Amino acid sequence: MSLLDYDALERTTTQTEPYEWLIVPDFVKAEVFDEIVEDYPRVPGPGSHPPSELEIGGKFAELMTELDGPRFQEMIERKFDVDLSDKPTMYTVRGFCRKTDGKIHTDSETKVITVLLYMNQHWEQDGGRLRILRNGTDLNDYVAEVPPNGGTLLVFKRSDRSWHGHEPFEGQRRAVQMNWVTGADVVAYEQRRHRISTTLKKLNPRNWGASA
């Protein structure tokens, strides 16, 4: 059984202002969401962690496999009118947010498409809600705000105008990030960089609380 609601993605219109993006609430099917959260890997702290450095298993492993499958890629290609056949994918897993996270940025030029899948069960806080911004200076000038819970999917095409960010938040904030990038060298460099960061956090743990 599929874990993802492709029909909901199919029904969703790609927005073009101020850049190309789409949001699909409940993209992870409600009947499996709690099981996937139960299998969410333990992460050693804030920042992005490569799956190779985490214990990936159960329903969460199934989710990662499905995201990396041909059906999802084909739908993203159609939604954003882009050929991803020669673009490798890169994944990271996040479990916690620092107050310094969420500053306005566009993503690096090596990223072609950014996918964010939010895996928090509830979200009552004002901070931590990613905003699709009209510019790179004003966090309050936004066209959409994404609640990071319930298996909500955000996808956007990276450009020099793909500004996004969120109000400060510190604490547990689970998200899977997937990118199609310009080449295999990007994957190797970024995964190596994140591996080093994850290793250092394992050696110098802080009491961030459980994320499993």
Side-chain angles (χ1 to χ4, degrees):
M1 180 189 76
S2 172
L3 305 178
L4 304 174
D5 190 346
Y6 295 106
D7 290 339
L9 176 56
E10 187 65 48
R11 293 191 300 268
T12 301
T13 300
T14 303
Q15 305 298 314
T16 58
E17 295 296 333
Y19 50 90
E20 294 180 59
W21 58 273
L22 61 79
I23 297 170
V24 185
D26 305 312
F27 183 56
V28 177
K29 292 181 178 178
E31 58 265 32
V32 295
F33 181 76
D34 287 346
E35 292 182 70
I36 297 172
V37 170
E38 183 68 24
D39 291 335
Y40 201 90
R42 185 178 298 273
V43 300
S48 300
H49 303 275
S52 61
E53 298 302 302
L54 304 174
E55 293 185 13
I56 305 295
K59 284 292 184 182
F60 187 84
E62 292 181 30
L63 173 68
M64 299 290 279
T65 298
E66 189 166 350
L67 277 176
D68 202 27
R71 186 176 183 184
F72 184 61
Q73 176 173 317
E74 187 273 334
M75 293 187 75
I76 297 303
E77 287 178 322
R78 286 194 290 106
K79 289 291 183 180
F80 290 89
D81 191 24
V82 60
D83 181 5
L84 300 172
S85 60
D86 63 342
K87 301 295 188 290
T89 53
M90 177 176 68
Y91 292 85
T92 54
V93 179
R94 300 181 71 99
F96 298 98
C97 192
R98 297 162 290 206
K99 287 183 179 178
T100 54
D101 291 337
K103 293 179 180 178
I104 298 174
H105 62 289
T106 61
D107 279 5
S108 66
E109 293 182 4
T110 56
K111 294 177 180 177
V112 179
I113 295 285
T114 292
V115 174
L116 288 163
L117 190 62
Y118 292 105
M119 299 301 295
N120 306 285
Q121 289 170 305
H122 308 285
W123 200 264
E124 305 300 330
Q125 297 84 357
D126 292 330
R129 298 170 182 261
L130 191 139
R131 294 172 177 176
I132 304 296
L133 302 171
R134 293 189 176 93
N135 60 69
T137 59
D138 187 356
L139 195 58
N140 291 313
D141 188 6
Y142 60 94
V143 299
E145 186 177 66
V146 189
N149 65 297
T152 296
L153 173 72
L154 167 66
V155 187
F156 63 87
K157 182 186 284 187
R158 191 272 165 197
S159 76
D160 292 338
R161 297 182 296 110
S162 57
W163 303 106
H164 56 283
H166 61 74
E167 292 284 1
F169 171 78
E170 185 172 44
Q172 183 170 280
R173 184 175 180 271
R174 292 167 167 165
V176 175
Q177 179 167 329
M178 169 186 177
N179 294 96
W180 279 275
V181 297
T182 54
D185 58 326
V186 177
V187 178
Y189 171 78
E190 292 292 337
Q191 294 291 290
R192 182 170 62 251
R193 182 171 68 88
H194 289 310
R195 277 199 304 272
I196 292 171
S197 175
T198 299
T199 299
L200 291 174
K201 285 167 183 161
K202 288 178 179 178
L203 293 173
N204 298 281
R206 171 180 165 179
N207 183 22
W208 286 94
S211 181

